[in-house]
Amino acid sequence: MMADTLAAVARTNGLLVAFAFVGLVVWVSYALSDRLTGGRLHGSAIAVALGLLLAYVGGAVTGGDAGLADVPLLAGVGVLGGAMFRDFAIVATAFGARVEDMKEAGLVGAASVVIGVVASFAIGGLVAVAFGYHDAVSISTIGAGAATYIVGPVTGAALGASSDVVALSVAAGLVKAILVMVATPVVAKGIGLDNPQSAMIYGGLMGTTSGVAAGLAATDPKLVPYGAMTATFYTGVGCLLAPSVLFLAVRALTG
């Protein structure tokens, strides 16, 4: 009786249950980070990996295509992970940044965004060719995924890429995010990543918002808003350039 009542409450308050569930996953992830890696592998990286694993399990158990959102008690996860809350989260990363510091980054900071997008796209495209993809749509989608795991699916949807190629683009972006999370605190001192301007340039070059934010959080939490700001711009610029200018360039090269 009690279980039925709790289930009914959970079904009618799906979004609250989703917040509680995601909070639990994050708490477990940070506990694993502290106890198993001594904080060297950031908790957010473990949370992303756990989220993907749980999404796979949810889809495999229910036979659906929406991951954990196919489980009735966790249907609110679909809303929490949807475009609206994603965009809220991205915008929230900009809070805390000082306009004066952003101005000091100037043209170099802006150029880092474009350079970062083009460089990541080119590297991802070359990897796609090395693995046997020779059509412009697949190369562009995987190249866009190397920019971020948001730009990849957006580009794939715009160009009509297959679901397999879109999945590869997400995987490429995820691997990049985790590498940036792990490597940032290691290389920070050597590359002078210790002030707002360098954080903005770093965010513009790396691009992945989650990777940059987590990496900077492990380096110096005060730098997170600056790196996340340009990383967010990077995602927007990538969504504009990858399915348009960069795709046309790839098509011109591949015929």
Side-chain angles (χ1 to χ4, degrees):
M1 186 65 178
M2 179 65 75
D4 293 339
T5 302
L6 290 175
V9 171
R11 281 195 293 270
T12 55
N13 296 275
L15 189 55
L16 292 178
V17 173
F19 272 110
F21 179 77
V22 171
L24 176 63
V25 171
V26 171
W27 181 79
V28 170
S29 300
Y30 275 76
L32 291 175
S33 171
D34 289 337
R35 297 184 181 183
L36 300 182
T37 72
R40 285 185 287 276
L41 181 58
H42 202 266
S44 57
I46 297 176
V48 170
L50 279 180
L52 289 173
L53 177 62
L54 291 171
Y56 171 78
V57 172
V61 170
T62 63
D65 57 4
L68 280 179
D70 287 321
V71 179
L73 289 178
L74 296 174
V77 172
V79 179
L80 184 59
M84 181 179 69
F85 278 96
R86 179 202 62 197
D87 293 343
F88 277 145
I90 290 174
V91 171
T93 60
F95 282 93
R98 296 175 63 237
V99 175
E100 293 77 11
D101 292 326
M102 293 169 57
K103 288 180 178 177
E104 289 185 21
L107 183 61
V108 176
S112 69
V113 174
V114 178
I115 293 171
V117 169
V118 174
S120 295
F121 183 92
I123 293 172
L126 290 174
V127 172
V129 172
F131 278 85
Y133 291 94
H134 299 295
D135 63 288
V137 171
S138 297
I139 294 172
S140 299
T141 302
I142 296 173
T148 78
Y149 52 72
I150 294 175
V151 178
V154 169
T155 301
L159 301 179
S162 67
S163 58
D164 292 345
V165 170
V166 172
L168 281 175
S169 74
V170 174
L174 178 62
V175 170
K176 176 184 176 182
I178 293 176
L179 287 176
V180 172
M181 289 178 193
V182 175
T184 298
V186 176
V187 303
K189 185 177 181 180
I191 62 176
L193 188 55
D194 56 5
N195 59 78
Q197 289 73 35
S198 63
M200 290 185 69
I201 294 171
Y202 185 74
L205 290 174
M206 295 295 106
T208 165
T209 306
S210 56
V212 168
L216 290 178
T219 304
D220 182 352
K222 293 179 181 177
L223 300 178
V224 172
Y226 301 100
M229 169 66 80
T230 45
T232 303
F233 284 139
Y234 177 108
T235 300
V237 171
C239 290
L240 288 174
L241 294 183
S244 56
V245 176
L246 296 178
F247 167 68
L248 292 175
V250 171
R251 193 170 67 174
L253 291 173
T254 59

